[in-house]
Structures are given as C-alpha cells and as structure tokens.
Amino acid sequence: MAPTTEPPEAYMLTRDEQESQRLDAQHEYMRQLSHGHLVHPSIPTHQLHAVADVATGTGVWLRQLANDPALPKPADDRIQRFVGFDISPQQFPPRESLLPHITFVVHDIVNPFPPEYHEKFDLVNVRLVSYAIRAVHLDKVVQNILQILRPGGYLQWQETDACDSWAHPESPAATSCVNYVIQEKVDRGLLPGFAGPLVKTILSHEAPLADGQQNPISWSRNLMRLQHLETLSTLNHPSPTVEAGKRTQVITVGTALLKARLARKTAELNSTSKPSLEAEGLAEEIQTMRSVLTAIQSGPESGESWDYDVTWVVARKAIVLDSTEGWMSLRHPTQ
C-alpha cells in the first residue's frame, strides 16, 4: 500500500506585526462593508451580556464591541464578558491594554471548548476563516461553536472565498489566478466554496426535544434557525476604505496561495524523476503561475480591478421549553 500524504498546512499567512496591522485594516473595511455595523441590526445588542469572538486574531472586533454604549453594563467590572478565542496567542493585544471584562484564550476550534464556556454566550462572532478550516473539520467546528451559545443566543458569521471574487475586465491571468487558488485550497483540504456548505452545516444540527417539549424559535427540531442571509459586495462601494481593502485582500490571500503552490510545484519538479512530457507540463504550469503572480502583484497598472462578495449569516439557537411554558417574550425579545 502506498504511503498516504498529509495535505499542506491549511493556514498559510504569517502571525507577525505586519500581518496584525493588515488584520486591523481588514476589520475596518469589513465594518464599512457591513454598513458600519459590528453586529447585525437584527441582533438585539441591549441583550448581549456575554460575547465570544472565534478566530479573533488581534481581537479588534471584540475590543471595539466592548466599548459600545448600547451593550448592557456589567454588574462587576471584573466579570470577563468578552472572550476572544484563537489557535495562537501571537497576535493577542497586551493584557495591560485591555478593559477588565475582556480576555483572550488560546483554543483550536476543531476541538470542543472547555466546559466552563458551554452555553455561556449570547453572541458568537466568526469571520473570514474559509482559508483555515479544512472541509473534514467544518461540521466539528460548527458543532463546537453552537455548544458555547446559550439557548436563544445568536451566531454571526461573515465569509468570503476565491470563487466569490472576480476581475474586470476579465483576463486569462485573472481566471488562472482564481483557478490556481481554488486548486491550492483543495490540495490543502479546504473547501473551494465555503458559504453554501457553511449554511447547510449550521442548519443540519438538531435540538434534543423530549416528549412534551417544543422549540418556539423555529417550531422544529432544528438547533439553529436562519434569521438573516445577506450578500455584501465591494462592487461600486462608495467607501475609500473598502476600495483600498478589497485590493489588499486579493493581493494578500491570492499571492500567499499562489506562492505556496509555486513553491510546492517547483520542489516537486526538482525532487522527482518524471517522464519528459509530465516534467514539461509541470514546468509550463510553474512558468504560468509565475506570470500570473506578477500580474496580480502589479495591481491597477495591469488595468484590472478586483471585487468580491461577502456572505453574512445570522442564526439563532433553539430554546427548549415545556409545552406549558410561555414563549412569546423569548422568541420576540423587546426589552
């Protein structure tokens, strides 16, 4: 039996100071793209007593939300109501710079969260992780995130992907870029398109309902009810921040994946003895990738402009009640 080959590391970006600055800038243009909102307007911010930010990075989203005057004030400033989770602590802000009710925790979301976080959060925020979560892990990740949501809590997830981007005017280099990025994602075990499988996975989990119980959030066994699904587009967006941010996104992610693929294919060509036709084909692919990489990095000088769509998902977790319990104020919170 031939030995199995592990796919390359899923995440290919760095975790240095330059990348932290890029993440903070990315947050600002994502906020502008989201009509200036940190939290979707359908979510009642005055009821958000505890919030988690998954794959938090620098924690900029969480830190800004913690300063929102619309959120309820903690009874005790020492209570940590805002928790950011990330697989690496390298980009966490210094502890001394944080408000007392903000904390950051190292956690890999492929694994279940510690029990002290189960059903603790009114809102869990996730954003732009399609280049870090392998296809085989998506169901686990969603299950783990839903576990830390309290009954009636909200999940907010924003995502974009290579197949959600396009160049205009379209060129062979632009088409090749997207194709190579998708191929590299597949080779890394990532999903070529993330939004569709994400929504299906969120809606696939069921609430445990015993006889005599009901779920008034959706009047079904669904653990999550989809409350909002929106496509945000950078195309013709009036904000200069979005205009600048979309180019940075394409350059950063596109070139990182292209460089990774180029390095792997070059190593493959140099380290194995291949039939001449196969070697020629691989060498031609490498040269094409180099040309595409140069064209993408040249940016506006090439005459192309890039845009992409972001999918904004809002879902609410089931509330399990006995059939005799009141449900209207829980399903339709007004205060």
Side-chain angles (χ1 to χ4, degrees):
M1 179 182 294
T4 58
T5 302
E6 286 293 321
E9 175 65 31
Y11 189 73
M12 79 300 298
L13 299 178
T14 61
R15 292 187 173 94
D16 53 21
E17 178 60 29
Q18 183 177 0
E19 175 61 9
S20 293
Q21 293 175 6
R22 187 196 71 81
L23 287 176
D24 286 349
Q26 174 181 269
H27 164 77
E28 288 304 319
Y29 84 72
M30 283 293 293
R31 183 171 183 171
Q32 292 294 321
L33 191 61
S34 305
H35 320 297
H37 298 295
L38 291 173
V39 176
H40 193 272
S42 67
I43 300 173
T45 54
H46 63 282
Q47 294 190 340
L48 302 182
H49 297 274
V51 178
D53 187 27
V54 171
T56 190
T58 66
V60 60
W61 179 91
L62 194 69
R63 287 181 282 127
Q64 286 192 5
L65 184 67
N67 284 309
D68 189 337
L71 269 64
K73 299 299 180 185
D76 187 332
D77 283 342
R78 293 170 297 178
I79 298 174
Q80 294 173 338
R81 303 187 307 133
F82 298 87
V83 183
F85 297 99
D86 203 284
I87 195 173
S88 168
Q90 289 178 257
Q91 291 168 299
F92 289 171
R95 175 69 253 184
E96 60 271 16
S97 69
L98 299 176
L99 295 171
H101 53 293
I102 301 177
T103 189
F104 290 92
V105 176
V106 176
H107 183 76
D108 183 351
I109 56 175
V110 171
N111 302 319
F113 287 85
E116 60 262 33
Y117 297 113
H118 291 186
E119 296 194 347
K120 294 299 183 183
F121 296 103
D122 303 295
L123 169 65
V124 176
N125 179 68
V126 191
R127 191 166 63 176
L128 304 179
V129 294
S130 68
Y131 290 87
I133 297 177
R134 288 199 168 103
V136 295
H137 293 152
L138 179 59
D139 187 72
K140 285 183 185 178
V141 167
V142 170
Q143 181 177 350
N144 293 337
I145 290 172
L146 300 189
Q147 192 171 44
I148 64 174
L149 265 179
R150 70 163 181 81
Y154 294 86
L155 170 64
Q156 171 176 268
W157 198 315
Q158 290 182 310
E159 206 59 70
T160 189
D161 219 323
C163 56
D164 296 322
S165 62
W166 70 97
H168 43 94
E170 186 174 351
S171 68
T175 302
S176 296
C177 175
V178 173
N179 285 338
Y180 282 134
V181 167
I182 290 174
Q183 289 170 22
E184 183 63 16
K185 287 195 70 181
V186 171
D187 287 350
R188 290 173 179 271
L190 302 166
L191 287 161
F194 196 85
L198 171 64
V199 172
K200 290 180 181 178
T201 303
I202 290 172
L203 297 179
S204 69
H205 291 263
E206 292 190 345
L209 292 175
D211 290 342
Q213 291 183 326
Q214 60 191 11
N215 166 29
I217 295 299
S218 64
W219 298 108
S220 71
R221 297 190 67 89
N222 291 344
L223 183 62
M224 300 296 291
R225 178 188 181 185
L226 189 64
Q227 296 228 148
H228 186 85
L229 185 61
E230 179 180 355
T231 299
L232 305 170
S233 180
T234 64
L235 182 62
N236 298 324
H237 199 282
S239 168
T241 303
V242 172
E243 184 65 26
K246 67 183 184 182
R247 168 168 163 70
T248 303
Q249 179 80 353
V250 170
I251 293 296
T252 302
V253 178
T255 58
L257 278 162
L258 278 173
K259 286 178 179 178
R261 187 170 187 82
L262 184 59
R264 288 199 305 107
K265 292 297 182 179
T266 301
E268 181 183 343
L269 179 64
N270 295 334
S271 64
T272 59
S273 177
K274 293 182 177 293
S276 58
L277 284 178
E278 188 175 343
E280 288 176 11
L282 187 54
E284 183 178 346
E285 180 185 358
I286 289 170
Q287 184 56 48
T288 302
M289 280 193 285
R290 285 176 176 155
S291 299
V292 170
L293 184 60
T294 300
I296 297 303
Q297 289 176 321
S298 66
E301 295 177 4
S302 66
E304 287 178 341
S305 176
W306 285 85
D307 281 287
Y308 56 88
D309 293 333
V310 174
T311 302
W312 196 353
V313 182
V314 177
R316 193 176 181 203
K317 189 173 181 178
I319 300 177
V320 177
L321 300 173
D322 289 334
S323 57
T324 57
E325 292 183 80
W327 53 266
M328 291 187 180
S329 60
L330 294 173
R331 189 181 180 200
H332 305 284
T334 57
Q335 298 181 8

mmCIF file of all heavy atoms in Angstrom, residues 69-87:
data_model
loop_
_atom_site.group_PDB
_atom_site.id
_atom_site.type_symbol
_atom_site.label_atom_id
_atom_site.label_comp_id
_atom_site.label_asym_id
_atom_site.label_seq_id
_atom_site.Cartn_x
_atom_site.Cartn_y
_atom_site.Cartn_z
ATOM 1 N N PRO A 69 -21.715 51.629 23.696
ATOM 2 C CA PRO A 69 -22.599 52.048 24.799
ATOM 3 C C PRO A 69 -23.966 51.387 24.760
ATOM 4 O O PRO A 69 -24.702 51.437 25.754
ATOM 5 C CB PRO A 69 -22.714 53.568 24.600
ATOM 6 C CG PRO A 69 -22.395 53.800 23.159
ATOM 7 C CD PRO A 69 -21.398 52.748 22.788
ATOM 8 N N ALA A 70 -24.328 50.771 23.640
ATOM 9 C CA ALA A 70 -25.636 50.114 23.545
ATOM 10 C C ALA A 70 -25.674 48.797 24.307
ATOM 11 O O ALA A 70 -26.757 48.278 24.601
ATOM 12 C CB ALA A 70 -25.998 49.872 22.076
ATOM 13 N N LEU A 71 -24.530 48.233 24.627
ATOM 14 C CA LEU A 71 -24.492 46.972 25.349
ATOM 15 C C LEU A 71 -24.771 47.188 26.830
ATOM 16 O O LEU A 71 -24.445 48.240 27.386
ATOM 17 C CB LEU A 71 -23.128 46.299 25.178
ATOM 18 C CG LEU A 71 -22.994 45.332 24.004
ATOM 19 C CD1 LEU A 71 -23.159 46.056 22.682
ATOM 20 C CD2 LEU A 71 -21.666 44.602 24.041
ATOM 21 N N PRO A 72 -25.381 46.218 27.497
ATOM 22 C CA PRO A 72 -25.656 46.356 28.934
ATOM 23 C C PRO A 72 -24.358 46.428 29.719
ATOM 24 O O PRO A 72 -23.362 45.792 29.370
ATOM 25 C CB PRO A 72 -26.445 45.083 29.267
ATOM 26 C CG PRO A 72 -26.093 44.111 28.196
ATOM 27 C CD PRO A 72 -25.857 44.929 26.960
ATOM 28 N N LYS A 73 -24.359 47.223 30.783
ATOM 29 C CA LYS A 73 -23.182 47.380 31.614
ATOM 30 C C LYS A 73 -23.034 46.190 32.566
ATOM 31 O O LYS A 73 -24.030 45.695 33.104
ATOM 32 C CB LYS A 73 -23.269 48.674 32.436
ATOM 33 C CG LYS A 73 -23.357 49.929 31.587
ATOM 34 C CD LYS A 73 -22.126 50.095 30.704
ATOM 35 C CE LYS A 73 -22.210 51.354 29.864
ATOM 36 N NZ LYS A 73 -21.068 51.465 28.924
ATOM 37 N N PRO A 74 -21.804 45.715 32.759
ATOM 38 C CA PRO A 74 -21.618 44.589 33.684
ATOM 39 C C PRO A 74 -21.872 45.019 35.119
ATOM 40 O O PRO A 74 -21.587 46.157 35.505
ATOM 41 C CB PRO A 74 -20.146 44.206 33.470
ATOM 42 C CG PRO A 74 -19.486 45.466 32.982
ATOM 43 C CD PRO A 74 -20.545 46.180 32.175
ATOM 44 N N ALA A 75 -22.400 44.103 35.912
ATOM 45 C CA ALA A 75 -22.626 44.389 37.322
ATOM 46 C C ALA A 75 -21.296 44.514 38.065
ATOM 47 O O ALA A 75 -21.198 45.211 39.061
ATOM 48 C CB ALA A 75 -23.482 43.292 37.945
ATOM 49 N N ASP A 76 -20.284 43.850 37.540
ATOM 50 C CA ASP A 76 -18.968 43.862 38.168
ATOM 51 C C ASP A 76 -17.932 43.950 37.059
ATOM 52 O O ASP A 76 -17.902 43.100 36.165
ATOM 53 C CB ASP A 76 -18.775 42.582 38.980
ATOM 54 C CG ASP A 76 -17.493 42.603 39.810
ATOM 55 O OD1 ASP A 76 -16.524 43.279 39.405
ATOM 56 O OD2 ASP A 76 -17.462 41.928 40.852
ATOM 57 N N ASP A 77 -17.074 44.969 37.076
ATOM 58 C CA ASP A 77 -16.077 45.158 36.034
ATOM 59 C C ASP A 77 -15.090 44.001 35.939
ATOM 60 O O ASP A 77 -14.395 43.845 34.935
ATOM 61 C CB ASP A 77 -15.298 46.461 36.263
ATOM 62 C CG ASP A 77 -16.102 47.685 35.846
ATOM 63 O OD1 ASP A 77 -17.078 47.505 35.089
ATOM 64 O OD2 ASP A 77 -15.755 48.795 36.283
ATOM 65 N N ARG A 78 -15.007 43.181 36.981
ATOM 66 C CA ARG A 78 -14.066 42.064 36.953
ATOM 67 C C ARG A 78 -14.625 40.869 36.192
ATOM 68 O O ARG A 78 -13.907 39.921 35.917
ATOM 69 C CB ARG A 78 -13.711 41.656 38.382
ATOM 70 C CG ARG A 78 -12.910 42.709 39.153
ATOM 71 C CD ARG A 78 -12.825 42.342 40.618
ATOM 72 N NE ARG A 78 -14.152 42.315 41.238
ATOM 73 C CZ ARG A 78 -14.367 41.989 42.504
ATOM 74 N NH1 ARG A 78 -13.344 41.644 43.275
ATOM 75 N NH2 ARG A 78 -15.586 41.995 43.003
ATOM 76 N N ILE A 79 -15.897 40.895 35.858
ATOM 77 C CA ILE A 79 -16.518 39.794 35.127
ATOM 78 C C ILE A 79 -16.060 39.846 33.676
ATOM 79 O O ILE A 79 -16.194 40.862 33.005
ATOM 80 C CB ILE A 79 -18.057 39.873 35.201
ATOM 81 C CG1 ILE A 79 -18.519 39.749 36.652
ATOM 82 C CG2 ILE A 79 -18.689 38.787 34.356
ATOM 83 C CD1 ILE A 79 -20.015 39.954 36.827
ATOM 84 N N GLN A 80 -15.493 38.752 33.190
ATOM 85 C CA GLN A 80 -14.995 38.702 31.811
ATOM 86 C C GLN A 80 -16.153 38.316 30.894
ATOM 87 O O GLN A 80 -16.481 37.150 30.720
ATOM 88 C CB GLN A 80 -13.831 37.723 31.714
ATOM 89 C CG GLN A 80 -12.616 38.194 32.505
ATOM 90 C CD GLN A 80 -11.516 37.170 32.562
ATOM 91 O OE1 GLN A 80 -11.746 35.991 32.376
ATOM 92 N NE2 GLN A 80 -10.297 37.610 32.821
ATOM 93 N N ARG A 81 -16.755 39.331 30.287
ATOM 94 C CA ARG A 81 -17.939 39.095 29.458
ATOM 95 C C ARG A 81 -17.593 38.994 27.988
ATOM 96 O O ARG A 81 -18.397 38.584 27.187
ATOM 97 C CB ARG A 81 -18.938 40.233 29.651
ATOM 98 C CG ARG A 81 -19.374 40.437 31.092
ATOM 99 C CD ARG A 81 -20.473 41.463 31.172
ATOM 100 N NE ARG A 81 -20.085 42.700 30.492
ATOM 101 C CZ ARG A 81 -20.871 43.353 29.644
ATOM 102 N NH1 ARG A 81 -22.055 42.892 29.355
ATOM 103 N NH2 ARG A 81 -20.452 44.478 29.087
ATOM 104 N N PHE A 82 -16.387 39.402 27.589
ATOM 105 C CA PHE A 82 -15.970 39.374 26.191
ATOM 106 C C PHE A 82 -14.734 38.484 26.085
ATOM 107 O O PHE A 82 -13.692 38.787 26.670
ATOM 108 C CB PHE A 82 -15.638 40.785 25.700
ATOM 109 C CG PHE A 82 -16.807 41.722 25.735
ATOM 110 C CD1 PHE A 82 -17.105 42.441 26.878
ATOM 111 C CD2 PHE A 82 -17.631 41.870 24.623
ATOM 112 C CE1 PHE A 82 -18.193 43.304 26.916
ATOM 113 C CE2 PHE A 82 -18.721 42.722 24.661
ATOM 114 C CZ PHE A 82 -19.006 43.444 25.807
ATOM 115 N N VAL A 83 -14.874 37.372 25.351
ATOM 116 C CA VAL A 83 -13.797 36.393 25.269
ATOM 117 C C VAL A 83 -13.432 36.168 23.814
ATOM 118 O O VAL A 83 -14.300 35.858 22.981
ATOM 119 C CB VAL A 83 -14.197 35.053 25.924
ATOM 120 C CG1 VAL A 83 -13.024 34.076 25.891
ATOM 121 C CG2 VAL A 83 -14.662 35.272 27.360
ATOM 122 N N GLY A 84 -12.146 36.338 23.490
ATOM 123 C CA GLY A 84 -11.646 36.066 22.155
ATOM 124 C C GLY A 84 -10.867 34.766 22.140
ATOM 125 O O GLY A 84 -9.983 34.549 22.981
ATOM 126 N N PHE A 85 -11.189 33.889 21.192
ATOM 127 C CA PHE A 85 -10.504 32.590 21.068
ATOM 128 C C PHE A 85 -9.684 32.572 19.776
ATOM 129 O O PHE A 85 -10.151 33.028 18.729
ATOM 130 C CB PHE A 85 -11.520 31.443 21.016
ATOM 131 C CG PHE A 85 -12.354 31.286 22.253
ATOM 132 C CD1 PHE A 85 -13.648 31.803 22.315
ATOM 133 C CD2 PHE A 85 -11.869 30.601 23.361
ATOM 134 C CE1 PHE A 85 -14.432 31.653 23.441
ATOM 135 C CE2 PHE A 85 -12.652 30.437 24.500
ATOM 136 C CZ PHE A 85 -13.935 30.965 24.542
ATOM 137 N N ASP A 86 -8.481 32.029 19.864
ATOM 138 C CA ASP A 86 -7.668 31.849 18.666
ATOM 139 C C ASP A 86 -6.691 30.709 18.906
ATOM 140 O O ASP A 86 -6.297 30.436 20.053
ATOM 141 C CB ASP A 86 -6.914 33.128 18.313
ATOM 142 C CG ASP A 86 -6.524 33.177 16.839
ATOM 143 O OD1 ASP A 86 -5.558 32.482 16.446
ATOM 144 O OD2 ASP A 86 -7.189 33.890 16.073
ATOM 145 N N ILE A 87 -6.277 30.080 17.824
ATOM 146 C CA ILE A 87 -5.359 28.949 17.920
ATOM 147 C C ILE A 87 -3.967 29.382 18.349
ATOM 148 O O ILE A 87 -3.179 28.584 18.850
ATOM 149 C CB ILE A 87 -5.305 28.196 16.569
ATOM 150 C CG1 ILE A 87 -4.654 26.828 16.732
ATOM 151 C CG2 ILE A 87 -4.601 29.036 15.512
ATOM 152 C CD1 ILE A 87 -4.731 25.970 15.484
#
